[in-house]
Amino acid sequence: MSMTRRSFLAAAGMTAAPMFIPRSAFGANDRIQVGFIGVGRRAQDHIKLVEGMQGVAAADINTARLTKFKDKGWKVYTEYRELLADPSIDAVVIATPDHWHALPSIDACNAGKDVYVEKPMTLTIREGRLMVEAARKNKRIVQVGSQQRSTPPNVISCKFIREGKLGAIKEVHSANYPSPWDCDLPEETVPDGLNWDAWCGQTQPRPYNKDLYLPRAENRTDAKGRPLGWISFRPYSGGEMTGWGAHGLDMIQWALGMDNSGPVEIWADMDAPESARFGFSIA
């Protein structure tokens, strides 16, 4: 094989799910060792779906989430930097809330690890530039998840458009992805084993509430009918603009053959009624 291990991993990085190739493919006897930073709901999908790797370590600020990993022989950490300090780990999967994507990715690159980070890559342009700089400086492979790139209808449709079979595209209309709003949830007691200060990270600390900490699930809504969960609130997320919007807008770029350009700006239709902008109904 004339391809180096690193260039092979770079080619693997074109897939939508994290894909780390076994070392045995390169003549070694062991496999790529992967650590998971953030092992909540999304990480469980990656652990089940990924092939060609060996999960060996997990880091999370919630000790209750680490129990099952410890029981099956994984190394477990409540501080992700301790995971990164392990020289036996080759790569990491970062499936934290959005506001915790940038720093672990940068730290992982500086620690010599390849990275798969969930979309959105980050929430600010400055953080994104620092992540790119860290990857290039340390010659790391960094892949951002976008599973619709592997969904057959999306693949076929985007290829159809790129081949000009719809003619010249002059205008594209997209969903009006809702932005996040300020959190005004009341304070609740922090559960045992949860490091709430660490969860807040670089944001202004605010009191714990389960409907801020937990992801959107179980159809939890506030008094206005808006969905609850950290993705709904700034500064922890960009709302659905960086949730489903990261997929929808990516499909537009892909279909138009514009992967290496913009978009430079995205403006929500603020003239639309609130229910249309935020996806909830007002009685």
Side-chain angles (χ1 to χ4, degrees), residues 39 53-54 68 104 117 128 131 136 138 158 176 181 224 228 235-236 254 257 282:
V39 289
M53 61 161 236
Q54 181 178 357
K68 66 179 180 180
V117 58
M131 292 167 75
R136 290 176 176 170
N138 294 285
C158 289
N176 198 3
W181 47 89
K224 293 183 178 180
L228 292 166
Y236 316 103
W254 195 25
I282 301 176

Coordinates of all heavy atoms in Angstrom, one line a residue, residues 39 53-54 68 104 117 128 131 136 138 158 176 181 224 228 235-236 254 257 282:
V39 N -20.6 11.6 26.5 CA -21.2 10.3 26.2 C -22.7 10.3 26.5 O -23.2 9.4 27.0 CB -20.5 9.2 27.0 CG1 -19.1 9.0 26.4 CG2 -20.4 9.4 28.5
M53 N -12.9 0.6 14.5 CA -12.2 1.3 15.6 C -12.5 0.6 16.9 O -13.3 -0.3 17.0 CB -12.8 2.8 15.7 CG -14.3 2.8 16.0 SD -14.8 4.4 16.7 CE -15.6 3.8 18.2
Q54 N -11.8 1.0 17.9 CA -12.0 0.4 19.2 C -12.2 1.5 20.3 O -11.2 2.2 20.6 CB -10.8 -0.5 19.6 CG -11.0 -1.2 21.0 CD -9.8 -2.1 21.3 OE1 -8.9 -2.3 20.5 NE2 -9.8 -2.7 22.5
K68 N -21.6 2.7 33.0 CA -21.6 1.5 32.1 C -20.4 1.3 31.3 O -20.0 0.2 30.9 CB -22.8 1.6 31.2 CG -22.8 2.7 30.2 CD -24.1 2.7 29.3 CE -24.1 3.8 28.3 NZ -25.3 3.7 27.5
P104 N -12.3 21.4 23.4 CA -11.8 20.0 23.4 C -11.2 19.7 22.0 O -10.2 18.9 22.0 CB -13.1 19.2 23.6 CG -14.0 20.1 24.4 CD -13.8 21.4 23.8
V117 N -15.8 15.7 15.4 CA -16.7 16.6 16.2 C -18.0 16.8 15.6 O -18.2 16.9 14.4 CB -16.0 18.0 16.4 CG1 -15.7 18.7 15.1 CG2 -16.8 18.9 17.4
G128 N -14.0 29.0 15.3 CA -13.8 28.1 14.1 C -12.4 28.3 13.6 O -11.7 27.3 13.2
M131 N -9.9 26.6 15.7 CA -9.9 25.1 15.5 C -9.2 24.7 14.2 O -8.4 23.7 14.2 CB -11.4 24.7 15.5 CG -12.1 24.8 16.8 SD -13.9 24.6 16.6 CE -14.0 22.8 16.4
R136 N -4.3 22.5 11.5 CA -3.2 22.6 10.6 C -1.8 22.6 11.2 O -0.9 22.0 10.7 CB -3.4 23.9 9.8 CG -4.6 23.8 8.8 CD -4.9 25.1 8.1 NE -6.0 25.0 7.1 CZ -6.5 26.0 6.5 NH1 -6.2 27.2 6.8 NH2 -7.5 25.8 5.7
N138 N -0.9 21.2 14.0 CA -0.5 19.9 14.5 C -0.7 18.8 13.5 O -0.5 17.6 13.8 CB -1.4 19.6 15.7 CG -1.1 20.5 16.9 OD1 -0.1 20.4 17.5 ND2 -2.0 21.4 17.1
C158 N -28.7 15.9 -4.8 CA -27.6 16.9 -5.0 C -26.8 16.7 -6.3 O -26.4 17.6 -7.0 CB -26.7 17.0 -3.8 SG -27.5 17.7 -2.3
N176 N -37.0 28.4 7.3 CA -36.6 29.5 8.2 C -36.3 29.0 9.6 O -37.1 29.0 10.5 CB -37.8 30.5 8.3 CG -37.4 31.8 8.8 OD1 -36.2 32.1 9.0 ND2 -38.3 32.7 8.9
W181 N -33.2 31.4 22.0 CA -33.7 32.5 22.8 C -33.0 32.5 24.2 O -32.3 31.5 24.6 CB -35.2 32.5 23.0 CG -35.8 31.2 23.3 CD1 -36.0 30.7 24.6 CD2 -36.3 30.2 22.4 NE1 -36.6 29.5 24.5 CE2 -36.8 29.1 23.2 CE3 -36.3 30.1 21.0 CZ2 -37.3 28.0 22.6 CZ3 -36.8 28.9 20.5 CH2 -37.3 27.9 21.2
K224 N -45.1 28.7 26.3 CA -45.4 29.2 25.0 C -45.4 28.1 23.9 O -45.7 28.4 22.7 CB -44.4 30.3 24.5 CG -44.5 31.6 25.3 CD -43.5 32.6 24.8 CE -43.6 33.9 25.5 NZ -42.6 34.9 25.0
L228 N -38.0 22.6 24.8 CA -37.0 22.8 25.8 C -35.8 22.0 25.5 O -35.8 21.0 24.8 CB -37.6 22.5 27.2 CG -38.6 23.5 27.7 CD1 -39.4 22.9 28.9 CD2 -38.0 24.9 28.0
P235 N -26.3 31.1 25.4 CA -25.2 31.0 24.4 C -24.8 29.6 24.2 O -23.6 29.3 23.8 CB -24.1 31.8 25.1 CG -24.3 31.5 26.5 CD -25.8 31.4 26.7
Y236 N -25.6 28.6 24.5 CA -25.2 27.2 24.4 C -25.4 26.6 23.0 O -24.8 25.5 22.7 CB -26.0 26.4 25.4 CG -26.1 27.1 26.8 CD1 -27.3 27.7 27.1 CD2 -25.0 27.2 27.6 CE1 -27.4 28.4 28.3 CE2 -25.1 27.9 28.8 CZ -26.3 28.5 29.2 OH -26.4 29.2 30.4
W254 N -23.8 21.9 -1.2 CA -23.4 20.7 -1.9 C -24.1 20.6 -3.3 O -23.4 20.3 -4.3 CB -23.7 19.5 -1.0 CG -23.1 18.2 -1.4 CD1 -21.9 18.1 -2.1 CD2 -23.5 16.9 -1.2 NE1 -21.6 16.8 -2.3 CE2 -22.6 16.0 -1.7 CE3 -24.6 16.4 -0.5 CZ2 -22.7 14.6 -1.6 CZ3 -24.7 15.0 -0.4 CH2 -23.8 14.2 -0.9
G257 N -22.6 22.9 -5.8 CA -21.2 22.7 -6.1 C -20.4 23.8 -5.5 O -19.4 24.2 -6.0
I282 N -48.9 29.6 18.9 CA -49.4 30.5 20.0 C -50.9 30.5 20.1 O -51.6 30.8 19.1 CB -48.9 31.9 19.8 CG1 -47.3 31.9 19.8 CG2 -49.4 32.8 20.9 CD1 -46.8 33.3 19.5

